[in-house]
Structures are given as C-alpha cells and as structure tokens.
C-alpha cells in the first residue's frame, strides 16, 4: 500500500550500520575474492550511499530536509526504501514477509487466502502444504503444477531455500530454455543476498525473452550493489525496446531523485504523466518539488488533482494545509489540518500534523500556540528531533537557557544529520561563553551542511577568539 508522503520541514532518520574495516592481509584477500565487494570511495555522481556526490545541484538542507543518508525526502513512500525498512534487526527477524502476518499485502508478500483454498486445508490448525514432505523432483517434472507450487512456496511461505531448489530442478527439466524459471531463480538469489548470481540469471532470461519485469528486477540488483548509473543505462535501453513504458520512466526518475538530481527527476516524472495522467507517485513528487521550490500555488494544483482522483488520507490533507498556508489561502489551512488529524491512522501521522500546525502558529506570530503544538507533537512521538529543536528556540526566546540546551542536545542525539540543532547549540554555547563546546557543535553543523554561511561565520569568529587567547 503506497501513500503520498507528508510535506514537512523535517527529516526521516534511517538506521545505518557501519562496521569498522581492519585492512590487514586477510581482509584484503577477502575483498579480492568477494564478488559483492564495492569500492570504498565512489566517484562523484555514481553512488547512492555517499551524500554530496550529486552533480545535478540538488537542493540544500536549508530548503529541503534530507534523510540520514544525505538524500532529500521524496514526495512518496515506496516499498523497499528507507522509510519502509524495520528500524532494528530484531524487528526485521520477527516480522517476515509472509501472508500470515498482519502487514498489508503487497507485491512482495503473498496473496489473500481464497475460500476455495481455505476449504482444502487438511486440518484447521495445520499448514496447507507440508513442504518438508514434498518430493520436489517429482513436481519439477510437471511444469504447470511446478509454477503454481513455486509461487506458493516463495510468496506465501517465504521459504526461499525450498523455492530455489524447486526452481533449479524445474529449469534443469526444461533444459535451461524457460526464461520464467531463470527469473524466479534470480529472485531467490536476490532475496538471499547473492546479487551477482541474480544478475547472471536475469541477464540470461533477458536474452531469451525481453520483459519489462525482468528489467525492473535487474535494476533492483544494480541499485542494491550501489550502481545507479548502470541501472539508469539499463532503464534507458529498456525504453528503446518498450517506448513509453511508465514503470521504466518512473524507475529513472526515482534514481535521479535519490542522487539529488531533482531537476532531471521532475522531467522524467512529467514524462510519466504524459503516458499516464493518473500516476499518483509522479503527481505527488512533482507537487513536493514545486513546494520546496517556493511555488506552493502550483503544488496546490497537483495535490488538488490527487484529491479529485480519490486519494483521501492524512498525508494529502496535511500537504494541502501547508500549501494553502504558504500560498496565503488561510481560509482552507486550518480545515485541511483538522481533516488530516481526523484521518490520521497512527501517532506518527498525528505528530506530523501537530508539528506543521506549530509552524503555522509561528508564521502567524502566536508563539504560545506554537509551543503547545510542538508539545503535542512530542506527546504523540517522543523521538521527533525537529520538535525538540523548535521548542529549544522558543525556550531561548523566553530566556530559559538551560532548558534550551537540554532540548538541543536531545535533538542532536536523535538526528545527528540535521544541521539546525548543532548550529543552535553552538550559538547558545557561544553566548554563555562555552567556546569549546560551541566550536565542536559548529564543526558538526558544518559537516552536516557545508554550505551554511552562518555556521562558517561562527567558526571564523571562534577561531579569532582562540587566536586572541
């Protein structure tokens, strides 16, 4: 299930685990022998993992908030992106992608259990098929039955090992001439993390049968290997063979957006709308791009189009409220936010709406209302770093220095990729005379946003102070 994402002046955090690399002889040998090893330092404009490698002149964090990995937040929540990943390893282990969990059914997890299927259960509490007792060799020799059985094992039971065994036996029985089985083997390898093996299978399948789905799977492999330029070339070659294919054009736009090349992404999203003018993702992303480009009136037209198409959720009314406020259509602002609060499905969505209402209150000059809104944000989501930062600014205006410092330290620890808490903490420390802490925080702010002029001026002043000492 996909939904238009919230427009807001905040960044989503992404858990990034980095292991220290001990470059001894054994480690170097392992890197040489490991086919999945990638270069430690990517060239500019060729990596999705390193922030600031874009050559397209992406938006600065002062205009458009970025994620912890340095990418601007997009206008749309997509499957298999940082917004949909489990926050911890334990959570990922506990929630496998099967049709037996409470998660919404997507293309990656099985289908609904039909009434006819339910009536075939051997006993009420037992499984539909006992995979451990299956003779896979026998079923692999029956192509029609083998394909249905593979779909059940892979999507419903999430048993990749048995699915891979069945696919290997079936493709051997078909004398390696059936492209469908090669694609399924590639999907199993991808799920197991064997990306180079998956790449070989998808390429072999493409030679036998040119399919859009196979191109999309192969592009996913390249993106997981951090090779966006290769994926772009693959999509463009696919467009030569399938002119006007919406999914390929949309794939190019997503990659450009992840590489901070927002202008190119917007052009490809417009190409998507030329082929399919009801494409929700393209409309939402173009709308968010116009909003962050200081064109809220144009963004409002795109979000109204989504409303006309029948998209009716908290995020859309939240975006409509922000666009109305910045386009100075104050009569619709509060009613849109009220509708967004009514439609919010969880506390995170409610926190986003209250946070944006806090910004509206700051805009109209009612700081007491803004204080209450940011407090309500933290009631609904206690890890909301942006709300801590803004509360600290309001406390500074009241003269409560210690409370402001505590709030800023909390914001910095929750979202180290944001430059605002670091800069505010540096400014506050400099005012109370704690020059060492001020310099440390200013350096962190510069690291998060190298182009911030106020941070550079503050560092220059601090260096002059240190020179005088």
């Amino acid at each position: 299930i996909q939904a238009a994402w919230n427009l807001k002046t905040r960044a989503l955090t992404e858990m990034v685990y980095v292991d220290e690399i001990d470059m001894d002889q054994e480690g170097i040998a392992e890197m040489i022998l490991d086919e999945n090893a990638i270069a430690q330092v990517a060239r500019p404009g060729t990596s999705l993992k390193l922030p600031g490698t874009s050559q397209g002149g992406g938006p600065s964090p002062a205009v458009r908030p970025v994620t912890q990995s340095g990418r601007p937040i997009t206008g749309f929540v997509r499957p298999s992106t940082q917004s949909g990943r489990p926050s911890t390893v334990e959570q990922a282990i506990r929630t496998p992608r099967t049709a037996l969990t409470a998660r919404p059914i997507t293309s990656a997890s099985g289908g609904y259990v039909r009434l006819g299927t339910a009536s075939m259960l051997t006993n009420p509490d037992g499984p539909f098929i006992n995979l451990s007792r299956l003779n896979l060799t026998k079923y692999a020799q029956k192509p029609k039955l083998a394909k249905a059985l593979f779909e059940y094992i892979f999507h419903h039971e999430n048993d990749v090992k048995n699915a891979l065994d069945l696919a290997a036996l079936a493709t051997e029985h078909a004398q390696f001439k059936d492209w469908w089985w090669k694609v399924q083997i590639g999907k199993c390898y991808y799920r197991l993390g064997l990306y180079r093996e998956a790449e070989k299978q998808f390429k072999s399948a493409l030679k036998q049968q040119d399919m859009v789905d196979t191109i999309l799977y192969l592009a996913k492999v390249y993106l997981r290997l951090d090779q966006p330029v290769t994926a772009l070339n693959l999509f463009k070659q696919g467009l030569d063979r399938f002119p006007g294919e919406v999914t390929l054009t949309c794939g190019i736009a997503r990659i450009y957006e992840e590489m901070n090349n927002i202008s190119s992404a917007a052009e490809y999203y417009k190409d998507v709308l030329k082929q399919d003018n009801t494409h929700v993702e393209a409309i939402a992303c173009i709308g968010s791009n116009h909003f962050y480009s200081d064109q809220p009136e144009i963004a409002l037209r795109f979000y109204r189009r989504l409303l006309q198409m029948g998209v009716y959720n908290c995020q859309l009314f939240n975006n409509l409220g922000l666009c109305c406020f910045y386009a100075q259509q104050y009569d619709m602002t509060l009613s849109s936010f009220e509708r967004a609060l009514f439609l919010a499905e969880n506390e995170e969505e409610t926190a986003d709406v209250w946070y944006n209402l806090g910004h509206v209150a700051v805009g109209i000059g009612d700081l007491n209302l803004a204080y209450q809104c940011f407090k309500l944000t933290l009631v609904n989501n206690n890890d909301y770093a942006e709300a801590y930062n803004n509360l600290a600014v309001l406390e500074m205006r009241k003269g409560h220095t210690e409370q402001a410092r505590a709030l800023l330290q909390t914001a910095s620890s929750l979202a180290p990729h944001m430059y605002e808490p670091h800069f505010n903490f540096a400014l506050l420390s400099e005012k109370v005379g704690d020059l060492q802490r001020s310099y440390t925080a200013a350096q962190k702010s510069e690291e998060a946003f190298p182009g911030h002029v106020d941070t550079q001026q503050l560092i220059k002043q601090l260096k002059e102070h240190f020179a005088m000492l």
Side-chain angles (χ1 to χ4, degrees):
I1 295 173
Q2 298 174 329
W5 188 239
N6 285 345
L7 287 176
K8 54 189 179 296
T9 51
R10 64 161 294 209
L12 295 174
T13 56
E14 177 184 5
M15 298 296 292
V16 178
Y17 299 96
V18 181
D19 294 328
E20 293 184 3
I21 298 173
D22 183 13
M23 293 303 292
D24 55 3
Q25 294 297 325
E26 186 180 346
I28 293 170
E30 285 180 4
M31 286 189 64
I32 293 171
L33 296 172
D34 186 5
E35 286 185 330
N36 292 328
I38 59 174
Q40 296 299 314
V41 180
R43 288 178 296 157
T46 62
S47 173
L48 298 175
K49 295 186 178 179
L50 290 178
T53 57
S54 166
Q55 297 193 0
S60 72
V63 177
R64 185 168 185 164
V66 296
T67 64
Q68 190 166 351
S69 59
R71 306 174 196 161
I73 57 172
T74 60
F76 199 79
V77 174
R78 309 184 183 98
S80 72
T81 60
Q82 65 265 23
S83 54
R85 289 178 189 161
S87 56
T88 61
V89 178
E90 290 81 5
Q91 188 179 349
I93 292 170
R94 286 174 189 164
T95 54
R97 292 191 207 168
T98 69
L100 307 173
T101 62
R103 287 182 52 184
I105 305 298
T106 67
S107 59
S109 49
Y112 292 106
V113 177
R114 295 168 295 181
L115 290 175
T117 313
S119 64
M120 292 167 61
L121 290 171
T122 51
N123 55 352
D125 300 322
F128 176 49
I129 296 175
N130 193 340
L131 298 180
S132 60
R133 295 185 179 182
L134 284 182
N135 184 355
L136 296 179
T137 309
K138 183 180 76 172
Y139 288 104
Q141 295 171 1
K142 301 175 182 178
K144 294 179 181 177
L145 188 59
K147 290 184 178 181
L149 182 60
F150 175 86
E151 295 278 338
Y152 175 83
I153 296 172
F154 186 80
H155 291 296
H156 189 279
E157 293 297 325
N158 195 34
D159 190 341
V160 182
K161 181 182 177 298
N162 276 322
L164 180 58
D165 290 342
L166 176 62
L169 291 168
T171 193
E172 189 177 345
H173 179 261
Q175 298 178 346
F176 306 98
K177 293 178 181 177
D178 192 340
W179 64 270
W180 191 86
W181 283 115
K182 292 183 178 180
V183 172
Q184 307 316 310
I185 293 174
K187 285 160 68 174
C188 292
Y189 280 143
Y190 178 83
R191 193 74 76 83
L192 292 169
L194 302 170
Y195 302 122
R196 288 298 181 191
E197 282 78 2
E199 177 193 8
K200 292 173 187 174
Q201 295 293 333
F202 290 138
K203 280 185 173 180
S204 178
L206 276 175
K207 286 179 183 175
Q208 288 185 349
Q209 180 73 36
D210 218 359
M211 294 289 291
V212 175
D213 277 356
T214 314
I215 296 172
L216 293 172
Y217 278 120
L218 186 54
K220 279 182 72 174
V221 170
Y222 286 133
L223 288 176
R224 189 54 65 93
L225 288 170
D226 196 22
Q227 296 179 1
V229 178
T230 312
L232 282 174
N233 293 333
L234 178 68
F235 277 135
K236 288 172 182 175
Q237 291 168 12
L239 281 175
D240 293 337
R241 303 194 294 273
F242 300 98
E245 176 59 42
V246 170
T247 52
L248 299 179
T249 314
C250 190
I252 295 174
R254 288 178 181 178
I255 294 174
Y256 276 128
E257 196 168 40
E258 290 187 5
M259 293 172 70
N260 290 11
N261 195 343
I262 303 297
S263 55
S264 298
E267 290 301 319
Y268 276 97
Y269 278 128
K270 287 174 185 174
D271 290 342
V272 170
L273 291 182
K274 288 175 186 174
Q275 302 294 332
D276 178 10
N277 57 9
T278 60
H279 198 276
V280 176
E281 179 178 350
I283 295 172
C285 289
I286 294 173
S288 68
N289 185 35
H290 282 298
F291 177 83
Y292 288 120
S293 301
D294 203 18
Q295 297 172 318
E297 301 89 352
I298 303 175
L300 190 59
R301 289 170 55 192
F302 282 93
Y303 287 117
R304 282 179 59 196
R305 168 69 176 160
L306 286 177
L307 198 60
Q308 291 166 356
M309 284 166 47
V311 179
Y312 193 78
N313 56 24
C314 167
Q315 290 90 343
L316 181 57
F317 281 100
N318 181 44
N319 294 357
L320 283 168
L322 272 182
C323 290
C324 287
F325 176 70
Y326 285 106
Q328 299 180 1
Q329 298 183 15
Y330 301 121
D331 53 336
M332 289 293 294
T333 302
L334 290 179
S335 59
S336 296
F337 281 125
E338 283 177 3
R339 188 68 57 85
L341 283 172
F342 177 73
L343 292 172
E345 295 179 353
N346 52 51
E347 291 182 342
E348 283 77 12
E349 291 179 2
T350 309
D352 288 336
V353 180
W354 280 117
Y355 177 77
N356 288 330
L357 276 168
H359 270 284
V360 171
V362 170
I364 62 177
D366 191 343
L367 298 185
N368 289 326
L369 176 62
Y371 190 85
Q372 292 297 323
C373 288
F374 292 136
K375 282 285 189 183
L376 283 168
T377 304
L378 294 178
V379 167
N380 287 284
N381 184 0
N382 201 32
D383 291 337
Y384 215 112
E386 295 83 355
Y388 282 111
N389 177 73
N390 293 2
L391 274 175
V393 174
L394 294 176
E395 294 286 5
M396 284 166 65
R397 290 177 67 92
K398 292 179 181 179
H400 302 158
T401 307
E402 288 304 316
Q403 291 181 20
R405 288 183 69 170
L407 289 167
L408 287 171
Q409 283 178 325
T410 306
S412 301
S413 61
L414 286 172
H417 61 280
M418 285 172 53
Y419 77 94
E420 292 97 341
H422 297 304
F423 174 73
N424 291 339
F425 187 78
L427 208 60
L428 186 60
S429 299
E430 196 262 343
K431 282 183 179 178
V432 299
D434 192 346
L435 300 185
Q436 182 59 45
R437 283 189 180 179
S438 175
Y439 184 69
T440 306
Q443 282 183 318
K444 290 180 181 176
S445 173
E446 187 181 31
E447 186 180 342
F449 182 16
H452 193 224
V453 179
D454 292 336
T455 301
Q456 293 170 356
Q457 290 178 350
L458 179 61
I459 290 176
K460 186 179 177 183
Q461 288 178 11
L462 289 169
K463 284 182 177 177
E464 289 175 357
H465 279 302
F466 293 144
M468 290 170 63
L469 292 173

